Amino acid sequence: MSIDTLPLFLAHAIRLEEDSAINYDAMADALEVHGKSPVARLFRKMAHYSRLHLAEAEGRAAGLDLPRLKTWEYQWPGDDSPENAPADESDYAMNERDALILALKGEKGALAFYASVMETSGDTGVADLAKEFVEEESEHVSILEDWLARAPETGRFEDLDPPIAIG
Amino acid sequence: MNQIPPLPDLEPADYKSDVTPVWCPGCGHYAVLSAITKALAELHLARENVALISGIGCSSRIPAYTSVYGFHSIHGRALPVAQGLKLARPDLTVLCAGGDGDGFSIGGNHFLHACRRNINLTYIVMDNSVYGMTKGQASPTTEADWTESKLTPEGPGVPPFQPLDIALAAGASHVVRAFSGKVQLLTKYIVEAIEHPGFSFIQVISPCVTYRPEMRALKDRVHDGFAETSANRLEARRRLLDDDGYSLGVLFKSVEPSYTPCHRSGDGVSDLERQFAL
């Protein structure tokens, strides 16, 4: 992977934050529907932070002519937008601690992406901006790790009629 | 003369409704909804020119979560409704969606004949190998030895339905397997399916983490076994002999004739009424 122009890099940064916000909101909606408001609030907060970063990336892109990429043309390192917390690892019985673990995976995904651009881009301007984003994402990772260290081990939601009846 | 202004580009979010999905947290169907809305945005389709038809089941709730025209039909009957709509309104982009139970069991017969007619629509089956809405019974694609349901404590005992094999044998002209955990690829497949002039079938492996939490491991099992697309039906069927059920890609694609009805001019509702009159 090599992202060598500022418009291409910012197109990726904008999509990354957009996708992340949408993903966190969808996870929050799903947990709210299932009555898990405290966990939903945490994901909602993460969606809010993603939107703040989105605004920052859009600000950086002001005046630039960004390429319009198709969904599958983004050069993500994995199968999905890198800051997307792995929604498939969520479930209806998760607690706030579980949610923090997922959010941390999302932030680490974004960090890895920006670090990779920083290391591989052939353009100094792109590498410098990626370095700034690496520093920001590192800060987010540290904050989440701190929250996680302080999060109480509350146990999972107790379901008196669990879905798997046998085994 | 008044000029009609060009349509603004719609974003994926514009194709979502304000109805919050009631799917379980972690369900693969969220990703399918995301991929469908992204595909519609990629194709710049006006919402009023798209219809999404479904049957019954968790995944069949999907029309309510989109802002295109939708019809949540009866169990197993999404394809007849979708085909009828496409024949009556060929100008519409018609998508049909549902689950493995709805599509391969209750609607299994319709699936065969939809493949055979090759009418230009896209059928997306969110296959989680379980009846989730009714709390976790074995479905047509459940493994014979799956023992996690009270109804089949020793497993369903019959080999699973083979959707791609059946689709090829019955005449589908665009046959794909995708995974909900690969949203970018799924979006691409849906775009290609909509653009294909014939019946496109996409089996999307879409884990149910509530009733089949072991399906989370599938993200490490899927692979690009169908990376090469065949235009030869026989060759595509041969490739299925080596398929482990987790190969992803466009297995088969061929432009073939579609069923077109003979319309008799002048036939209207009153003519039909006369024919039915005793």
Side-chain angles (χ1 to χ4, degrees), chain A residues 15 19 22 26 29-31 33-34 68-74 76 78-80 86-92 161 163-167, chain B residues 9 11 16 20-26 30 38 42 44 135 147-150 153 181-184 187-188 191 209-211 213 216 219:
Chain A
R15 176 53 79 96
D19 282 347
I22 291 167
D29 286 343
L31 284 149
V33 163
H34 288 79
R68 191 180 167 93
L69 302 175
K70 294 184 185 303
T71 300
W72 52 92
E73 289 174 345
Y74 286 88
W76 305 132
D79 296 325
D80 202 355
D88 62 311
E89 292 177 26
S90 64
D91 64 61
Y92 75 103
D161 181 20
I164 304 296
I166 296 175
Chain B
D9 271 350
E11 295 296 324
K16 285 188 181 166
T20 303
V22 295
W23 293 320
C24 300
Y30 285 98
K38 283 179 173 171
E42 294 292 356
H44 308 288
K135 302 201 77 176
T147 55
E148 299 296 330
S149 167
K150 280 181 181 171
K182 291 179 179 280
V183 180
Q184 292 195 90
T187 305
K188 184 168 186 265
V191 165
V209 301
T210 300
Y211 293 103
R216 283 201 178 97
K219 66 179 167 189

Side-chain angles (χ1 to χ4, degrees), chain A:
Chain A
M1 182 185 77
S2 182
I3 295 178
D4 293 333
T5 69
L6 209 51
L8 184 61
F9 175 61
L10 285 166
H12 278 76
I14 287 170
R15 176 53 79 96
L16 178 150
E17 297 296 350
E18 273 175 353
D19 282 347
S20 171
I22 291 167
N23 185 54
Y24 279 129
D25 270 337
M27 290 166 80
D29 286 343
L31 284 149
E32 236 160 43
V33 163
H34 288 79
K36 306 293 179 305
S37 295
V39 186
R41 270 196 296 276
L42 193 141
F43 284 134
R44 201 72 76 193
K45 195 186 286 183
M46 297 305 298
H48 170 68
Y49 292 142
S50 292
R51 291 210 166 81
L52 291 179
H53 303 146
L54 170 63
E56 189 191 336
E58 284 174 337
R60 302 272 191 151
L64 293 176
D65 188 18
L66 301 193
R68 191 180 167 93
L69 302 175
K70 294 184 185 303
T71 300
W72 52 92
E73 289 174 345
Y74 286 88
Q75 299 172 42
W76 305 132
D79 296 325
D80 202 355
S81 208
E83 196 171 72
N84 281 9
D88 62 311
E89 292 177 26
S90 64
D91 64 61
Y92 75 103
M94 71 191 301
N95 60 28
E96 286 163 279
R97 193 179 167 77
D98 298 328
L100 279 170
I101 291 169
L102 292 196
L104 185 57
K105 286 186 180 178
E107 296 302 317
K108 283 184 172 173
L111 174 60
F113 169 70
Y114 288 129
S116 153
V117 175
M118 183 180 78
E119 285 157 16
T120 59
S121 178
D123 181 271
T124 320
V126 171
D128 288 347
L129 187 55
K131 185 167 182 286
E132 275 186 49
F133 286 11
V134 163
E135 285 160 7
E136 275 185 26
E137 295 296 344
S138 301
E139 199 180 316
H140 304 158
V141 167
S142 299
I143 291 169
L144 282 173
E145 282 174 340
D146 181 49
W147 287 359
L148 191 57
R150 289 188 284 122
E153 193 53 270
T154 54
R156 289 169 60 77
F157 165 72
E158 190 187 358
D159 188 348
L160 298 176
D161 181 20
I164 304 296
I166 296 175

Side-chain angles (χ1 to χ4, degrees), chain B:
Chain B
M1 193 172 96
N2 289 334
Q3 295 235 323
I4 299 171
L7 284 170
D9 271 350
L10 297 176
E11 295 296 324
D14 296 318
Y15 294 94
K16 285 188 181 166
S17 73
D18 55 4
V19 179
T20 303
V22 295
W23 293 320
C24 300
C27 177
H29 302 347
Y30 285 98
V32 179
L33 173 63
S34 171
I36 288 174
T37 57
K38 283 179 173 171
L40 296 176
E42 294 292 356
L43 291 165
H44 308 288
L45 292 172
R47 287 173 290 196
E48 64 272 24
N49 291 335
V50 180
L52 176 53
I53 315 298
S54 71
I56 294 293
C58 293
S59 53
S60 287
R61 292 177 178 274
I62 202 164
Y65 307 144
T66 70
S67 60
V68 300
Y69 282 116
F71 193 94
H72 191 168
S73 77
I74 53 174
H75 212 356
R77 273 53 177 168
L79 277 170
V81 174
Q83 291 169 97
L85 177 62
K86 185 65 185 180
L87 291 178
R89 287 285 308 274
D91 54 310
L92 291 180
T93 295
V94 178
L95 307 178
C96 185
D100 41 298
D102 185 73
F104 306 143
S105 184
I106 299 93
N109 193 32
H110 296 301
F111 176 57
L112 301 181
H113 296 285
C115 293
R116 191 166 71 91
R117 291 186 191 106
N118 195 33
I119 292 170
N120 184 10
L121 58 89
T122 298
Y123 184 36
I124 300 168
V125 174
M126 289 163 253
D127 185 353
N128 55 16
S129 301
V130 75
Y131 284 99
M133 185 176 270
T134 49
K135 302 201 77 176
Q137 297 81 24
S139 82
T141 55
T142 303
E143 303 84 337
D145 58 356
W146 183 70
T147 55
E148 299 296 330
S149 167
K150 280 181 181 171
L151 284 182
T152 50
E154 293 174 4
V158 289
F161 187 86
Q162 302 296 324
L164 301 192
D165 221 349
I166 301 293
L168 280 174
S173 59
H174 188 227
V175 179
V176 182
R177 186 188 287 133
F179 178 55
S180 62
K182 291 179 179 280
V183 180
Q184 292 195 90
L185 261 184
L186 177 57
T187 305
K188 184 168 186 265
Y189 294 151
I190 294 173
V191 165
E192 289 172 354
I194 291 173
E195 288 176 329
H196 175 73
F199 183 75
S200 297
F201 166 58
I202 308 179
Q203 178 198 14
V204 186
I205 300 171
S206 178
C208 171
V209 301
T210 300
Y211 293 103
R212 302 214 51 182
E214 76 278 11
M215 287 185 87
R216 283 201 178 97
L218 294 186
K219 66 179 167 189
D220 298 321
R221 296 187 67 179
V222 293
H223 56 90
D224 62 353
F226 299 151
E228 301 284 320
T229 301
S230 175
N232 180 304
R233 193 175 293 274
L234 191 58
E235 186 198 318
R237 293 190 69 187
R238 279 201 198 101
R239 289 173 68 188
L240 284 175
L241 296 174
D242 297 328
D243 175 39
D244 59 1
Y246 305 109
S247 302
L248 307 181
V250 182
L251 171 66
F252 175 72
K253 182 173 187 159
S254 169
V255 176
E256 296 179 357
S258 279
Y259 166 73
T260 38
C262 299
H263 289 293
R264 283 180 298 176
S265 60
D267 271 6
V269 173
S270 54
D271 299 301
L272 287 172
E273 279 173 354
R274 262 198 307 280
Q275 289 170 38
F276 277 97
L278 294 174

